[in-house]
Amino acid sequence: MAFYQTTLTLPAYTRGIHIITPHIQQALNDLLPQGAKVGMINLFLQHTSASLTINENADPDVRLDTEDWLNQVAPADQPQYRHTLEGSDDLPAHFKSMMLGVSLNIPLINGRLGLGTWQGVYLCEHRNHAAGRRLVITVNL
């Protein structure tokens, strides 16, 4: 059993839901030894105001509707929030991160992410002005 690990720094994204599957697959191509076919991939986002999820990768309306729904569940600018030093979008970003999570496990199948036909990995950026995000990729072969 062998472990491989790298940290991928994603570009700064605007607030919203962004497909990052190609970034992850490229990092896996660079990380894994030639011939690696089967294993388990863990993705861990090292942040508390963004999250990871898997969902449909074809229709961009899914991403827009997801962002709209999250904003209804955890709206900004609420007078009852105490944690506002970093802006009115910060506490709602933490709530959204807690709901969706910061870690995913995906099988490695034939050297690639073992996603279904219509699945993509999303970075859910919950802050209005975020810097690049760090994603730790660990693979167990």
Side-chain angles (χ1 to χ4, degrees), residues 67-122:
E67 174 68 10
D68 290 346
W69 177 81
L70 286 168
N71 290 332
Q72 288 176 14
V73 172
D77 299 316
Q78 297 301 301
Q80 70 270 26
Y81 294 162
R82 289 181 283 272
H83 180 72
T84 58
L85 291 176
E86 296 178 54
S88 66
D89 66 331
D90 191 39
L91 187 61
H94 294 312
F95 291 157
K96 295 169 188 177
S97 178
M98 285 188 277
M99 284 190 298
L100 296 177
V102 295
S103 182
L104 297 172
N105 287 312
I106 302 170
L108 181 72
I109 300 174
N110 292 322
R112 302 192 55 80
L113 288 163
L115 297 170
T117 301
W118 303 108
Q119 290 181 317
V121 179
Y122 289 171

Side-chain angles (χ1 to χ4, degrees), residues 2-4 28 32 37-43 104-109 112-113 137-141:
F3 286 89
Y4 298 85
L28 288 172
L32 296 177
K37 296 287 183 199
V38 176
M40 184 57 69
I41 304 161
N42 176 266
L43 305 175
L104 297 172
N105 287 312
I106 302 170
L108 181 72
I109 300 174
R112 302 192 55 80
L113 288 163
I137 302 171
T138 305
V139 182
N140 182 0
L141 297 180

Side-chain angles (χ1 to χ4, degrees), residues 1-136:
M1 199 176 297
F3 286 89
Y4 298 85
Q5 188 173 76
T6 189
T7 300
L8 173 62
T9 301
L10 296 164
Y13 286 103
T14 59
R15 182 167 152 173
I17 314 297
H18 306 278
I19 295 176
I20 58 169
T21 313
H23 294 287
I24 296 166
Q25 186 60 58
Q26 184 58 54
L28 288 172
N29 294 345
D30 296 342
L31 174 67
L32 296 177
Q34 188 102 13
K37 296 287 183 199
V38 176
M40 184 57 69
I41 304 161
N42 176 266
L43 305 175
F44 181 78
L45 189 64
Q46 295 182 305
H47 300 275
T48 61
S49 56
S51 57
L52 296 173
T53 194
I54 295 173
N55 215 308
E56 181 183 322
N57 65 0
D59 184 351
D61 285 343
V62 172
R63 290 176 285 171
L64 296 172
D65 288 339
T66 301
E67 174 68 10
D68 290 346
W69 177 81
L70 286 168
N71 290 332
Q72 288 176 14
V73 172
D77 299 316
Q78 297 301 301
Q80 70 270 26
Y81 294 162
R82 289 181 283 272
H83 180 72
T84 58
L85 291 176
E86 296 178 54
S88 66
D89 66 331
D90 191 39
L91 187 61
H94 294 312
F95 291 157
K96 295 169 188 177
S97 178
M98 285 188 277
M99 284 190 298
L100 296 177
V102 295
S103 182
L104 297 172
N105 287 312
I106 302 170
L108 181 72
I109 300 174
N110 292 322
R112 302 192 55 80
L113 288 163
L115 297 170
T117 301
W118 303 108
Q119 290 181 317
V121 179
Y122 289 171
L123 171 72
C124 303
E125 179 53 67
H126 305 304
R127 294 300 308 268
N128 292 330
H129 306 286
R133 302 295 191 168
R134 291 179 316 281
L135 182 66
V136 178

